[in-house]
Amino acid sequence: IIAFKLPKNNVKSFKIVASHLDSPTFKIKPNCSIETAAHTLSIALEGYGGTILSSWLDRPLSIAGRVVCKENNKLVTKLVDINRPLCVIPNVAIHQNRSINDGYKYTYASDIIPLYGMKGSMKLEDLIASENNIEKDDICSMELYIYSYERGYNFGVNNEFIIAPQIDNLESSYLSLLAFMNSKNDNSINVYCSFDNEEVGSGSKQGALSTFLSDTLRRITKKIGLSKEQHLIALAKSFMVSCDNAHATHPNQPGLCDPLNRCYMNEGIVIKTNANLSYTTDAISHALFTSILDEANVKWQVFANRSDTRGGSTLGHLSLSQVSIDSIDIGLAQLAMHSSNEVCAVKDMKMMVEGLIAFYNKHLSKDSENNFLIK
């Protein structure tokens, strides 16, 4: 989704905050019902993104997604959600796998198979139809995913932490939306953007590698009367914040982080850097964005991976292949990234909103030598 606000004055540039909405999970296969030797019914899955497999076992799970139905010669998409504990991926008892704590390799084909019901139970397609008032014969196709049914909680002696599913990256997409809704700029088009499919490479029509952002920006400026040249001039003065979370220093394994460039929960917005351009931060974007944060009294810190460790990437550098503008990668420090339950910090959320509001509200321009001017 992309949302934007037109300025009161002539358009000078775009101010963009981009995040992604998807998280690692499991997609249900088209033919999914498995009658097992245990006289039960299970569901066939395949992995979506890189998840910590063991974290999904022995937890309440449910199913949501979409179905496409034929209605009067139209193909209509309907969102569906069972919205109750429906299945579980059971562990094997330690009595039957004595080496489970010595390092067990889980596989999708034999371990990551949710228990759904007893043999002879209603098949999943019948359940989807009955619980959503859909005629089964009208369903042309289904696109369904497993999700954790556990809810989020505060924890810690002062309730300073949050544990919840899908913190990466619903935290960033939600906080950047709050900032967008509570900001105003009279000279730039403020843009909120949330892509899909970042966890599987962003190569979809709704991913960061698509032309979705570049097409939308051009359609906006064309509608308000800007020529292609004026559009390109506006892009040259624009700035994008790629917002995706970062790895907090782990309390049990601090050595996994770089000794000098590590970040901590509840200590501010994380500026992410990488020599191989997994993140878009450079000297100019770092200086510009941190100057805005300093003026707004918002704390910030820096993160770089250990030199012998390959970190993850974000949508920022992928988006720039379609829209060439200055950009920075930021996030908030979290633990257990890509687990079914992840951990983040309360104070950081407020700082992110305040920092992005300051960014959206700031008037940026460039002089004749391409230097940013901050007003």
Side-chain angles (χ1 to χ4, degrees):
I1 188 171
I2 293 177
F4 61 92
K5 295 180 181 179
L6 294 177
K8 186 165 59 177
N9 303 326
N10 292 333
V11 172
K12 304 291 194 306
S13 63
F14 295 96
K15 309 284 287 301
I16 305 168
V17 179
S19 58
H20 70 89
L21 292 159
D22 60 318
S23 301
T25 182
F26 308 98
K27 186 177 181 181
I28 296 174
K29 291 184 175 181
N31 297 314
C32 63
S33 295
I34 304 172
E35 292 189 354
T36 75
H39 297 185
T40 59
L41 193 63
S42 294
I43 300 173
L45 305 176
E46 56 184 329
Y48 176 89
T51 188
I52 301 174
L53 295 180
S54 61
S55 70
W56 286 82
L57 276 65
D58 305 323
R59 298 182 184 276
L61 307 173
S62 193
I63 292 172
R66 62 181 176 179
V67 298
V68 178
C69 302
K70 182 174 285 188
E71 294 182 0
N72 300 322
N73 296 319
K74 291 193 300 184
L75 294 178
V76 179
T77 299
K78 297 179 182 289
L79 299 182
V80 299
D81 180 8
I82 300 302
N83 196 24
R84 62 179 172 86
L86 183 67
C87 51
V88 68
I89 303 171
N91 242 314
V92 173
I94 195 169
H95 313 83
Q96 296 172 310
N97 185 2
R98 293 287 183 180
S99 62
I100 187 74
N101 293 323
D102 298 331
Y104 181 76
K105 184 177 180 180
Y106 292 94
T107 66
Y108 288 100
S110 59
D111 296 304
I112 310 302
I113 306 173
L115 172 64
Y116 163 78
M118 293 303 296
K119 186 177 180 179
S121 299
M122 181 185 296
K123 298 293 181 65
L124 181 59
E125 52 268 37
D126 295 305
L127 178 69
I128 293 294
S130 66
E131 296 229 352
N132 293 277
N133 297 316
I134 301 170
E135 292 293 331
K136 180 184 175 183
D137 292 341
D138 292 338
I139 297 176
C140 299
S141 62
M142 300 193 299
E143 197 169 47
L144 303 174
Y145 294 84
I146 295 291
Y147 72 92
S148 172
Y149 199 73
E150 294 185 309
R151 297 302 187 243
Y153 301 95
N154 286 96
F155 74 98
V157 64
N158 295 309
N159 283 325
E160 60 265 61
F161 305 113
I162 295 172
I163 182 168
Q166 297 177 279
I167 286 173
D168 174 28
N169 190 38
L170 292 183
E171 182 179 37
S172 296
S173 57
Y174 174 65
L175 298 178
S176 57
L177 177 61
L178 289 183
F180 171 78
M181 294 171 63
N182 290 281
S183 60
K184 181 181 179 183
N185 195 304
D186 290 335
N187 297 286
S188 298
I189 300 176
N190 283 352
V191 179
Y192 167 83
C193 181
S194 276
F195 291 108
D196 197 2
N197 305 129
E198 191 272 346
E199 300 293 357
V200 291
S202 298
S204 64
K205 64 182 183 299
Q206 59 271 5
L209 273 175
S210 72
T211 61
F212 180 36
L213 178 59
S214 60
D215 290 346
T216 303
L217 298 183
R218 179 57 187 127
R219 292 174 70 183
I220 294 169
T221 55
K222 187 174 182 180
K223 189 69 175 179
I224 61 177
L226 269 62
S227 67
K228 183 176 181 180
E229 179 65 17
Q230 290 171 318
H231 172 76
L232 295 175
I233 291 172
L235 286 180
K237 298 177 180 179
S238 297
F239 197 90
M240 184 175 78
V241 176
S242 169
C243 198
D244 198 352
N245 276 359
H247 300 294
T249 302
H250 198 288
N252 302 334
Q253 300 287 341
L256 296 176
C257 290
D258 185 82
L260 300 177
N261 299 279
R262 56 177 57 177
C263 59
Y264 306 91
M265 291 185 292
N266 279 318
E267 296 194 20
I269 294 174
V270 179
I271 311 299
K272 301 160 68 173
T273 65
N274 181 262
N276 294 313
L277 303 184
S278 293
Y279 310 131
T280 62
T281 306
D282 59 21
I284 294 172
S285 62
H286 182 282
L288 174 69
F289 192 73
T290 55
S291 295
I292 294 173
L293 296 182
D294 288 341
E295 185 178 330
N297 293 315
V298 175
K299 293 174 64 176
W300 57 272
Q301 50 190 325
V302 295
F303 172 83
N305 289 297
R306 253 180 50 160
S307 299
D308 58 355
T309 302
R310 179 183 175 272
S313 62
T314 68
L315 57 87
H317 74 290
L318 302 176
S319 297
L320 296 194
S321 67
Q322 299 292 335
V323 183
S324 297
I325 59 178
D326 287 289
S327 178
I328 189 170
D329 265 279
I330 70 168
L332 293 179
Q334 73 163 90
L335 297 171
M337 190 177 290
H338 289 198
S339 177
S340 68
N341 270 329
E342 301 168 316
V343 172
C344 67
V346 173
K347 290 181 181 178
D348 287 336
M349 298 172 72
K350 184 172 184 289
M351 286 186 269
M352 177 65 85
V353 174
E354 291 175 347
L356 292 179
I357 288 176
F359 164 70
Y360 271 132
N361 288 345
K362 186 64 64 176
H363 173 45
L364 302 180
S365 60
K366 286 187 175 181
D367 63 16
S368 59
E369 297 180 345
N370 206 37
N371 297 311
F372 270 109
L373 304 174
I374 307 174
K375 298 179 182 179

